[in-house]
Amino acid sequence: FMCACINSHVTTVEHFLSSAKNININLVNCHGCSAFYISCQYGRNDVVSLLIDEPRTDIMLSDEGNWSPLMRAAWLGKTETIKRILCVK
């Protein structure tokens, strides 16, 4: 799942979200980064939007340095990603 998010494989991410209800989409890597965090970091906005729309996604899950996905996107100048995160209802 995380690799699909990082590499912006939208169809695979959609498949996981719709058919694999028992996966932990907030699982983190060795640096404390979730698939949502890394998608924000790399500006994978199509995946960011899918994950924002998924109720199980914790969009505030910080990494081991206490950086939130929003903070990382801002630090890296990912303007479109920032807009998508801030428009969450």
Side-chain angles (χ1 to χ4, degrees):
F1 177 74
M2 191 174 289
C3 288
C5 291
I6 292 166
N7 292 302
S8 216
H9 292 209
V10 175
T11 305
T12 305
V13 173
E14 289 173 331
H15 174 74
F16 272 111
L17 293 176
S18 65
S19 63
K21 296 296 182 186
N22 61 342
I23 65 166
N24 180 359
I25 63 173
N26 295 306
L27 193 66
V28 297
N29 66 12
C30 61
H31 302 290
C33 302
S34 67
F36 180 73
Y37 182 102
I38 296 171
S39 296
C40 291
Q41 177 176 328
Y42 289 109
R44 306 293 195 239
N45 294 322
D46 45 358
V47 175
V48 169
S49 293
L50 284 174
L51 294 176
I52 284 173
D53 291 340
E54 170 57 51
R56 296 177 290 166
T57 303
D58 182 354
I59 66 168
M60 296 305 295
L61 189 61
S62 298
D63 68 5
E64 63 185 8
N66 284 328
W67 283 64
S68 71
L70 177 60
M71 290 167 59
R72 178 62 69 191
W75 178 259
L76 296 171
K78 306 294 183 187
T79 309
E80 185 60 34
T81 304
I82 295 164
K83 289 178 187 176
R84 291 178 192 224
I85 295 170
L86 292 177
C87 288
V88 173
K89 296 176 181 155

